[in-house]
Amino acid sequence: MRYLVTGGAGFVGSHVVLALLDAGHEVAVLDDLSTGHRSAVPPDVPLFQVDLANYGATSDIMAQGPWDGVLHFAALSLVADSVERPFYYLRRNSLTTLNLVEACVAHGVRKFVFSSTAALFGGADDCPSLISETASVEPGSPYGESKFMIERILHWADRIYGLRSACLRYFNAAGADPAGRAGEDHQPETHLLPLTIDAALGIRPALRLFGTDYPTHDGSCIRDYVHVSDLADAHLKALDQINERSVCYNVGTGRGYSNLEVISSVERVSGRDVPWEAAPRRDGDPAQLVADPALLRADTGWAPQFLELDQIVETALRWREQHPQGYDD
Ligand SMILES: NC(=O)c1ccc[n+]([C@@H]2O[C@H](COP(=O)([O-])OP(=O)(O)OC[C@H]3O[C@@H](n4cnc5c(N)ncnc54)[C@H](O)[C@@H]3O)[C@@H](O)[C@H]2O)c1
C-alpha cells in the first residue's frame, strides 16, 4: 500500500513512518518542518515540504497519488499556547485539516487516520477513572476543542463522501523506537518524561512539577503513558479496521502513573537523581487521565508491548543519551 503521512517529521509521525516501512508499505511525508526535523525522515522516504494551510500545494501532492490512505499528525499541539492564542489554534488546526480532507475527497482517498487526543476529556470535573469512548467530550483547552472540531469534519466527510476515518485519541505518547532509529525532540519541550530525563542527565535545570496537591494517592497528576511504537501499531491496525466504517478509539494502556512515579522511574532506570521543585497547578490540568482501551483491543486485537513505565523510560533514555541535542546534533 502507498500512504501519505502528514507531520511525519514529528515525534509520533516519524515512528508511524517506520512502522509502515517495517510492514512493507510505501510512504511519503508531507511536513512544513515547523516543529519537525528533516533528519527524522528516513533518507529514502520522499518529503514534501508544504504547509497544509496552502490548499493548492496540498492538492498537488494528493494528485500525485493514488494514495491508499492518509495519516494526519500535523498540528499545533501545545495546550498552554492554545489558551494564550485560542483563535489561532482553532483556526489553524481546523483549516489545515479541512484543506487536507477536501483534497483527499477530491482525489479519491478512501482512508484517513487522525491524531486526536485525550485533551477532549480534560475539562470535566467528574472524569471517570477509566475513560472510554462513551465518556462525554469536554475539552479543557482550545487545543482539545480544535481536535474535536476535526473529528466532526471527519464525521461529515464520511457521511457525505464515504471517506472512512479512524480518530485515535492518544493519551500520553512516550518513549522512543527500540532500535534507536527515532526519538522525541520537541522544541519547546513540554512533555513530562523528556523533561524529567533531561533533568536527570543535567541537560536542563531542575524539573518543575506542576501541582502536588491533587486528590491522587501522592498528590501529583496521574497520566496514561503509551509507548510510541505501540501507538504506531494502533495506526496500522486502525487502517485495517476502516474498510467498511469509521471508528474512534481511546489509545492508552489503561494504567496510570503519577508524576512522582515518573520521576522515580527515571531515577531507577538512569541510576541518577532527578532534581525537581514543586510549582503551582496549571490551568486545565485534570487530576487523572487514564484510557479504557477495551474497544480498541476488542475490535483490532491491539495489545501494547510496553506496559511497564520503566520499559518506556528505558527506550526514551537510551535515545536521549545518544542524542543529547536532539536531531540537530
Ligand atoms: N505527543 C503526544 O503525547 C500527543 C498526545 C495526543 C495527541 N497528539 C497529537 O499527535 C500529533 C503528533 O504529535 P507530535 O508530538 O508528534 O507533534 P510534533 O510537533 O512532533 O509533530 C507535528 C509535525 O507536524 C508538522 N506540522 C505542523 N503543522 C503543519 C502544517 N500546517 N503543515 C505541514 N506540517 C505541519 C510539524 O513540522 C511536525 O513535524 C499531533 O496532532 C498532536 O496533537 C500528540
Side-chain angles (χ1 to χ4, degrees), residues 10-12 31-32 34-36 51-52 73 92 143 147 173 186:
F11 171 47
V12 184
D31 199 300
D32 67 356
S34 51
T35 59
D51 181 348
L52 287 167
F73 301 89
R92 198 155 159 94
Y143 162 69
K147 293 283 181 172
H186 292 110

Side-chain angles (χ1 to χ4, degrees), residues 122-311:
D125 286 337
D126 55 346
C127 238
S129 51
L130 281 184
I131 302 172
S132 76
E133 290 74 7
T134 57
S136 55
V137 169
E138 190 66 54
S141 64
Y143 162 69
E145 191 71 48
S146 73
K147 293 283 181 172
F148 188 53
M149 288 163 71
I150 294 169
E151 290 198 0
R152 299 306 299 166
I153 290 168
L154 290 170
H155 165 80
W156 288 105
D158 179 356
R159 194 151 148 192
I160 297 177
Y161 297 109
L163 176 65
R164 302 286 186 243
S165 60
C167 295
L168 301 183
R169 296 158 168 182
Y170 315 159
F171 281 60
N172 288 52
D177 175 51
R181 297 170 295 175
E184 182 164 15
D185 181 14
H186 292 110
Q187 285 169 21
E189 187 55 81
T190 58
H191 296 93
L192 178 68
L193 182 51
L195 290 174
T196 308
I197 287 175
D198 280 4
L201 296 178
I203 295 174
R204 290 179 205 263
L207 178 75
R208 298 189 73 211
L209 188 59
F210 298 107
T212 49
D213 57 351
Y214 282 98
T216 58
H217 65 277
D218 63 16
S220 65
C221 288
I222 293 178
R223 295 290 180 267
D224 182 338
Y225 294 88
V226 57
H227 191 278
V228 65
S229 301
D230 285 329
L231 193 54
D233 182 46
H235 289 72
L236 269 68
K237 292 199 158 49
L239 278 168
D240 286 341
Q241 195 62 31
I242 54 176
N243 293 315
E244 306 298 331
R245 65 186 178 99
S246 293
V247 295
C248 213
Y249 295 124
N250 291 357
V251 192
T253 63
R255 187 163 167 183
Y257 290 94
S258 75
N259 290 351
L260 285 168
E261 287 167 341
V262 171
I263 292 175
S264 301
S265 172
V266 170
E267 290 187 329
R268 202 164 39 245
V269 175
S270 69
R272 296 166 181 248
D273 287 340
V274 173
W276 67 274
E277 61 195 32
R281 290 184 188 194
R282 287 183 307 194
D283 264 359
D285 266 347
Q288 169 162 330
L289 285 174
V290 180
D292 177 355
L295 185 64
L296 173 64
R297 258 200 238 125
D299 278 5
T300 71
W302 181 73
Q305 303 299 300
F306 295 83
L307 278 172
E308 298 297 327
L309 184 60
D310 284 8
Q311 296 175 291

